[in-house]
Amino acid sequence: MSGYEAVTPMPPEPAAPAPPALFTRIDHVGVAVRDLDESISWYETTYGLRVLTRETHDDQGVDEAMLAVADTPAGGSYVQLLKPTREDSPVGKFLARNGPGVHHIGYGVVDVEAALRSIENTGVRLVDARPRHGSMGASIAFLHPKDTGGVLTELVQAPRGAAAGG
Ligand code: CMX
Ligand code: CO
């Protein structure tokens, strides 16, 4: 006897299957700004970016501009400049608390409804239980920043046949 007890080795735990990747690309970075025209000019003159669309979304309380950064086979990527139309909106409250800066990240997904259900099943709180309309015809939904490491996260499904931002 060696002094060691014979130990039957445990069979290795079966590895949990890796979940399929939900994100296809970074669709856009949403930036809170105080003056939309001034910010657009700064992005144009400093970075040479081009404005694709300007929209007002009363439900979100924003005036916004989408600037094109890149076009990829999986879809486009953009900077979304956001100016609040009222103080008690998400971007209005963010600006009052933090000043101008990155407000959220929008990730491209193939199917926003399926992605929402999959993420919800992991226990992350959803801001939007169902997808809604976003910029440039996209279908979007937000996840709560308190459950995503402090990053307000938007899922973006491009409209059929188009590369779109949210
Ligand atoms: N990033 C990280 N944390 C954020 C945040 C952000 N953008 N906005 C708010 N929070 C945090 C706050 O810091 C605060 O944290 P503490 O409790 O630790 O102080 C907490 O969330 C609550 O902040 P609040 O100002 O009281 O905000 P509300 O709870 O009223 O709303 C949220 C938070 C996420 C539900 C709201 O911002 C929301 O519905 N966002 C999604 C819609 C949106 O952002 N629309 C504008 C963009 C539209 C587009 O991209 O098309
Ligand atoms: Co956005």
Side-chain angles (χ1 to χ4, degrees), residues 1 7 11 21 24 32 60 65 79 82 97 106 120 124 127 134 136 139 147 149 162 165:
M1 289 290 281
V7 177
T24 57
Q60 301 283 317
V79 174
L82 300 156
R97 193 191 303 250
E120 185 179 36
V124 170
V127 174
M136 303 199 297
S139 189
D147 286 350

Side-chain angles (χ1 to χ4, degrees), residues 15 32 40-41 47 54 76 79 84 88 90 102 105 122 125-126 143 147 159:
I40 289 172
S41 295
Y47 299 140
R54 278 186 73 148
V79 174
D88 66 345
V102 173
I105 296 180
T122 69
R125 268 170 298 168
L126 311 179
L143 312 178
D147 286 350

Side-chain angles (χ1 to χ4, degrees), residues 4 11 14 21 29 43 51 58 64 72 75 79 95 120-121 131 141 143 145 164-165:
Y4 292 102
V29 175
Y43 275 77
V51 174
D58 286 327
E64 60 154 84
T72 78
V79 174
L95 264 181
E120 185 179 36
N121 282 340
L143 312 178

Side-chain angles (χ1 to χ4, degrees), residues 31-44:
V31 180
V33 305
R34 291 218 164 90
D35 186 316
L36 190 56
D37 290 324
E38 238 176 55
S39 299
I40 289 172
S41 295
W42 189 84
Y43 275 77
E44 285 174 338

Side-chain angles (χ1 to χ4, degrees), residues 5-72:
E5 275 182 42
V7 177
T8 312
M10 295 290 287
E13 291 275 328
L22 289 176
F23 299 159
T24 57
R25 69 194 192 286
I26 292 176
D27 182 277
H28 67 278
V29 175
V31 180
V33 305
R34 291 218 164 90
D35 186 316
L36 190 56
D37 290 324
E38 238 176 55
S39 299
I40 289 172
S41 295
W42 189 84
Y43 275 77
E44 285 174 338
T45 47
T46 310
Y47 299 140
L49 297 186
R50 187 170 56 85
V51 174
L52 282 185
T53 58
R54 278 186 73 148
E55 298 178 21
T56 299
H57 290 272
D58 286 327
D59 57 328
Q60 301 283 317
V62 291
D63 271 339
E64 60 154 84
M66 295 295 276
L67 289 80
V69 174
D71 206 4
T72 78

